[in-house]
Amino acid sequence: KAGHFERATRIACELDLPADLPQPPRELATVIFRIVEESLTNVARHAGARHVRVRAHGTDAGLEITVADDGSGIRETLSQDGRGHGLQGMHERVQAVGGRVLNGRDAGGGTTGSRQVPLPRWDVHATH
């Protein structure tokens, strides 16, 4: 939860999770939880951030989770090859379910990472 993360790290955490976002299948819910958990761990350990935003939304391809911080920014070599800072494990988790991971430095500083998880049995538009 955001409150626990904020208390433990003193990094403000904003959640942008639509109320109508359907519950993913159980096996994918665990993958999604671990992806967000590892992303926040990386922010706390390496970013030097004061604020992080976690956003999830449904797309035609499934679910997209974006974690953006205002920290020092990921090194270009890490964002390109996905190694280090727990990124390799995150890549493996996402790829195991047929998804994609995109990491990059923001122009004004900080890092934005998007994780796209296909949810073939989940109609992301069912509640819209």
Side-chain angles (χ1 to χ4, degrees):
K1 296 196 178 200
H4 175 74
F5 177 81
E6 288 178 341
R7 285 188 299 279
T9 64
R10 296 182 177 245
I11 300 170
C13 184
E14 175 187 351
L15 297 179
D16 183 359
L17 309 173
D20 64 348
L21 196 63
Q23 180 70 32
R26 179 181 216 136
E27 64 275 7
L28 289 175
T30 300
V31 170
I32 292 164
F33 174 80
R34 296 292 180 213
I35 290 166
V36 173
E37 180 181 55
E38 186 62 42
S39 297
L40 290 175
T41 297
N42 286 343
V43 170
R45 288 184 180 165
H46 308 291
R50 291 182 293 152
H51 182 266
V52 62
R53 179 178 185 212
V54 178
R55 179 175 187 261
H57 68 281
T59 69
D60 289 336
L63 179 69
E64 182 167 333
I65 303 144
T66 303
V67 179
D69 68 63
D70 64 354
S72 59
I74 191 169
R75 288 194 331 256
E76 192 64 33
T77 56
L78 291 176
S79 68
Q80 289 175 357
D81 68 14
R83 299 183 198 279
H85 298 310
L87 295 176
Q88 185 165 355
M90 206 178 320
H91 275 265
E92 290 169 0
R93 274 186 176 58
V94 173
Q95 288 175 345
V97 297
R100 295 178 355 151
V101 175
L102 307 167
N103 296 307
R105 291 178 70 116
D106 294 340
T111 299
T112 297
S114 293
R115 288 81 173 113
Q116 298 167 345
V117 179
L119 301 171
R121 298 186 320 256
W122 183 45
D123 181 0
V124 297
H125 302 291
T127 60
H128 297 274

